[in-house]
Amino acid sequence: MISKEDINKEEMPKHIAIIMDGNRRWAKEKGLERKLGHKAGAETLEELANFANDVGVKYLTVYAFSTENWKRTEEEVGALMMLLKSYVDKFLKRASTNNIRVRILGNIEKLDASLKASIEKIVNESSKNTGLTLNIAFNYGGRDEIIRCVKQISEKVSNGEIAIEDINENIISNNLYTAGEPDPDLMIRTGGELRVSGFLLWQLAYTEFLFVDKYWPDFSKEDLTEAIVTFQNRKRNLGK
Ligand code: FPP
């Protein structure tokens, strides 16, 4: 059985991104309501965030709600909002003990006022934590992020803060939600689909991809360990 001792601490991926797919299919196969699939997914996320923190990953970015997910039924959208709220509230209580810093990637302006307040609280209160940075992509879309970035840079150009000829990769990176963070080394998508679905379109340019044929609620610490070891073996082969 694989264990965290199999991970080479010298070659840790600094940043892992995950598309947590397959919650509904997991629930359906078990004859459960959709929202219970998402609830199980939230539990998996907490366990894996703690594990990633424990083994020394510095950034974990997870796709929790896309700009497209508003098209789901009102009931399912409501369940996902409630989950985020309870996740954020519970997480807040534990954040100081596990030293995890939480950030949100996406537009939270239109979320319910109490959800928005909870998010702002956890983001502020955990901002000095020095362990894992957990980026929760919520109401996030990669094209949306790029549009926002272009608007921010255009504004700086029009008020004379930067010149057009000075626009470079750094300026673009620094105007994305992930400003100041390294790009992901490894992107994992569970659930068997082979797509990027608008996730981190700029940031994934040189990232290693791993597609896993398991539903997210079944993705375990051992699976994450295996993914990290696979990544490390790919890196070793590239160096030869
Ligand atoms: C994709 O599976 C998953 C989502 C759209 C939601 C992901 C949310 C969580 C893992 C839990 C919530 C955590 C927080 C912090 C809010 P799917 O619903 O598309 O499943 P399917 O591919 O089987 O249809």
Side-chain angles (χ1 to χ4, degrees):
M1 182 88 156
I2 198 159
S3 78
K4 63 180 179 186
E5 278 66 47
D6 295 306
I7 296 173
N8 176 358
K9 292 281 181 164
E10 309 295 311
E11 303 265 347
M12 280 308 284
K14 274 199 194 69
H15 187 168
I16 299 178
I18 306 183
I19 301 180
M20 310 180 290
D21 199 13
N23 292 345
R24 297 192 297 185
R25 281 169 285 163
W26 179 90
K28 196 170 178 206
E29 281 188 10
K30 293 193 151 35
L32 300 170
E33 279 183 83
R34 285 173 179 173
K35 64 181 177 199
L36 293 179
H38 295 312
K39 184 165 180 277
E43 282 158 16
T44 300
L45 172 58
E46 174 155 22
E47 188 189 4
L48 292 192
N50 286 329
F51 180 73
N53 187 32
D54 190 32
V55 297
V57 173
K58 296 308 289 176
Y59 299 89
L60 179 67
T61 300
V62 295
Y63 209 173
F65 193 89
S66 75
T67 46
E68 298 300 303
N69 288 150
W70 292 107
K71 293 181 192 144
R72 295 191 175 188
T73 64
E74 208 174 304
E75 192 200 350
E76 191 179 348
V77 169
L80 281 164
M81 295 294 160
M82 292 261 294
L83 260 183
L84 181 66
K85 172 102 171 72
S86 86
Y87 191 82
V88 162
D89 288 346
K90 276 197 275 165
F91 196 88
L92 186 57
K93 296 206 185 92
R94 296 191 278 260
S96 55
T97 49
N98 57 23
N99 200 24
I100 293 177
R101 176 169 75 142
V102 179
R103 295 180 80 185
I104 297 282
L105 317 184
N107 184 356
I108 62 165
E109 290 313 310
K110 291 204 180 84
L111 301 185
D112 166 87
S114 91
L115 177 56
K116 193 170 161 249
S118 293
I119 291 173
E120 281 165 351
K121 192 161 181 246
I122 190 175
V123 168
N124 280 333
E125 292 191 6
S126 69
S127 66
K128 299 264 163 12
N129 288 347
T130 55
L132 177 81
T133 295
L134 174 62
N135 291 319
I136 301 177
F138 201 90
N139 195 17
Y140 172 90
R143 287 189 174 175
D144 239 44
E145 182 182 36
I146 290 172
I147 292 170
R148 174 180 171 269
C149 168
V150 170
K151 286 182 180 165
Q152 282 177 192
I153 295 174
S154 305
E155 201 154 313
K156 287 176 192 159
V157 168
S158 69
N159 67 25
E161 252 179 85
I162 49 179
I164 289 181
E165 51 275 21
D166 293 339
I167 297 173
N168 57 21
E169 291 194 7
N170 270 342
I171 290 185
I172 292 181
S173 294
N174 286 331
N175 282 281
L176 299 173
Y177 288 117
T178 46
E181 302 185 2
D183 289 336
D185 305 289
L186 171 65
M187 193 285 285
I188 302 167
R189 180 173 189 147
T190 61
E193 306 290 345
L194 309 178
R195 289 190 292 276
V196 167
S197 300
F199 192 40
L200 304 174
L201 293 176
W202 170 272
Q203 298 90 330
L204 293 180
Y206 297 99
T207 302
E208 292 287 332
F209 285 8
L210 191 70
F211 294 94
V212 180
D213 212 357
K214 254 188 186 188
Y215 299 140
W216 172 249
D218 290 330
F219 194 75
S220 64
K221 290 190 275 197
E222 287 72 30
D223 293 319
L224 184 57
T225 305
E226 207 170 304
I228 294 173
V229 171
T230 301
F231 164 81
Q232 294 181 329
N233 286 336
R234 284 193 202 168
K235 286 279 138 191
R236 229 187 358 256
N237 292 339
L238 279 178
K240 270 185 195 153

